[in-house]
Amino acid sequence: MLPNKYRNLVWLILAALSVCLLALQFRHARAIGSKVVVSILIVMMIVGLIYVSKALSTLGSVTDVSVQYYSIAAYVQADDQAESITDAAGYTFGILSSLDRDNTDECLNDIVAEQGVSLTAVEYESVVDLASALLDGDVQAIVMNTSYLSVLSEASEDGDISEELGQFSDETKVIYEYTIERTIERVVSGSATTTEDGTEAYTGSDGVYSISEDPFIVYISGNDTSGTLASTGRSDVNILAVVNPSTHRILLVNTPRDYYVTLAFTGGSKDKLTHAGIYGVDVSMQALEDLYDISIQYYVRMNFTGFEEIIDALGGVSVYSEYAFTSSHGGYTFTVGYNDVDGAKALAFVRERYAFTSGDRQRGANQMALIEAVIDKATSSAILTNYMDVMNAASGALATNMTQREISSLVQWQLSNGGSWTVDSTSVTGSDSTGTVYSMGSTNVYRMIPDDDSVAAAVELINEVLEGN
């Protein structure tokens, strides 16, 4: 992490101390003082090695994550006698006719070819129709991406579908689960070279790119699952961090989760931005790239479980609330001004939308406020006193396609050049609407139609930061 000039200085100091201590040992072999000093130095070196080892281990676990997992499951009614996929031999299975069909077909092929189970498939247009078919007894089983469970729950909470469908997971059981692994293509790639100041530069298809010199954009995605970070799922947090190292400026751009955006892989169909995460973090990134006409180099993913752990590891944070409200999750009370929050309370703060007349718009503002609070705490002395806890939490809470070299390079550059960062934030808005979206077929659900002027204003701010203005 240290730039060359600091790293060489550290080595010189350690070498000088070692020589002095050895000299003391030879001259005063029986002196208690010299032995105490040597013992202290040894302890310091051991502690230092532990801290360095922990940092490297954490960086290794959270960086260069280039895979994502899709979980496809076979469901039957909760009181069905079948307990495994082999028990369902001869069942009629419901499947989606087009949604997530590649993953469904791969799962079905495994059931037939590898598990040796014969089945009859009936197609349904939407997730609602598919789930209803099982609950109504029209089919004996269905095969579906597990991420659609949260889609059903969300639509039920919003009153778009029945409460029974919203409780689908309670009314059914899984008799078979199939995991599919797919590679996420990196945008920034190439061979690394060391520049004069000791940082890394990458030579790729777009020429020489240096993360410590050239501006870049990071997509911050908050996954609504509580399991592994590499699993696909709805993204309830969709924030772009536009970073310009040369000007020490960061712009946070929030895009509401219900924004009605184009999903490129569908051939132009539109869906809620939150649903894009079901099909992969790369699909979410592409949707935002198309919306703002930009290139996004990196992503950072965090799920709700990891979110709480990081806040708690930091010893809590102080976040500013624009409104006084009581959260629907946990019943926490927030006042206007700064509020001290632990992990659970912080999660309630960023998830709340029903307490505000502006709904998801205010939730996005709260999410950016919490990011700023975390930055403030993480750059304070608290990071030293809670170092091990933060490292342990981060190793299971974050995943990014940045490489360890890239992060080290950015830290080296910051240590070499110093200076504080200016953090600004903005959010796009839109008009409330009800209509169909790709993931829900013919079912009408709430969606937010983008306001073109709002998007254009955000694009202008993004370009200002990228261009260093």
Side-chain angles (χ1 to χ4, degrees), residues 253-256 259-261 287-294 426-430 448-463:
V253 181
N254 173 64
T255 308
Y259 233 45
Y260 194 48
V261 296
L288 291 169
E289 287 182 332
D290 293 341
L291 177 66
Y292 296 112
D293 192 23
I294 56 174
T426 188
S427 181
V428 294
T429 187
M448 185 183 293
I449 306 300
D451 177 77
D452 292 339
D453 292 337
S454 174
V455 173
V459 170
E460 184 176 353
L461 289 174
I462 291 172
N463 289 329

Side-chain angles (χ1 to χ4, degrees), residues 79-318:
D79 59 356
D80 194 287
Q81 294 183 350
E83 296 295 334
S84 67
I85 193 64
T86 54
D87 294 335
Y91 276 21
T92 299
F93 281 72
I95 62 173
L96 290 168
S97 57
S98 59
L99 290 179
D100 202 41
R101 189 56 188 265
D102 289 344
N103 290 331
T104 298
D105 286 344
E106 187 169 334
C107 178
L108 290 176
N109 289 337
D110 184 77
I111 291 174
V112 175
E114 300 299 328
Q115 308 301 320
V117 175
S118 61
L119 56 85
T120 300
V122 179
E123 296 183 350
Y124 292 89
E125 179 189 358
S126 72
V127 175
V128 172
D129 293 338
L130 181 65
S132 297
L134 177 60
L135 297 180
D136 293 342
D138 296 333
V139 293
Q140 296 160 290
I142 65 171
V143 171
M144 180 177 71
N145 191 318
T146 58
S147 295
Y148 284 124
L149 293 179
S150 60
V151 174
L152 291 171
S153 177
E154 171 199 32
S156 177
E157 287 179 4
D158 291 342
D160 297 323
I161 61 175
S162 68
E163 183 177 345
E164 182 185 24
L165 283 173
Q167 297 174 343
F168 179 84
S169 58
D170 296 328
E171 303 293 331
T172 61
K173 63 182 178 181
V174 175
I175 59 171
Y176 180 72
E177 192 164 0
Y178 182 72
T179 301
I180 300 170
E181 177 182 318
R182 300 196 192 283
T183 301
I184 306 171
E185 296 296 331
R186 276 176 50 81
V187 177
V188 180
S189 61
S191 57
T193 57
T194 304
T195 60
E196 291 183 359
D197 64 356
T199 61
E200 301 289 343
Y202 290 80
T203 304
S205 58
D206 297 329
V208 177
Y209 172 86
S210 173
I211 193 173
S212 61
E213 297 178 1
D214 298 316
F216 58 91
I217 301 177
V218 182
Y219 168 51
I220 302 173
S221 171
N223 197 304
D224 75 340
T225 63
S226 297
T228 173
L229 275 168
S231 298
T232 57
R234 292 185 312 161
S235 181
D236 275 0
V237 179
N238 299 279
I239 295 174
L240 297 179
V242 186
V243 184
N244 192 321
S246 298
T247 59
H248 272 225
R249 187 179 176 189
I250 298 174
L251 172 67
L252 300 178
V253 181
N254 173 64
T255 308
R257 64 190 292 281
D258 294 318
Y259 233 45
Y260 194 48
V261 296
T262 300
L263 303 186
F265 80 97
T266 66
S269 296
K270 292 189 174 186
D271 204 337
K272 294 184 179 186
L273 178 58
T274 183
H275 292 168
I278 295 172
Y279 311 105
V281 66
D282 49 338
V283 175
S284 297
M285 292 170 69
Q286 181 66 59
L288 291 169
E289 287 182 332
D290 293 341
L291 177 66
Y292 296 112
D293 192 23
I294 56 174
S295 294
I296 302 173
Q297 287 76 28
Y298 304 104
Y299 65 81
V300 174
R301 301 183 70 193
M302 180 187 298
N303 61 21
F304 286 165
T305 303
F307 179 88
E308 289 190 51
E309 292 174 353
I310 288 180
I311 300 295
D312 286 334
L314 284 169
V317 298
S318 182

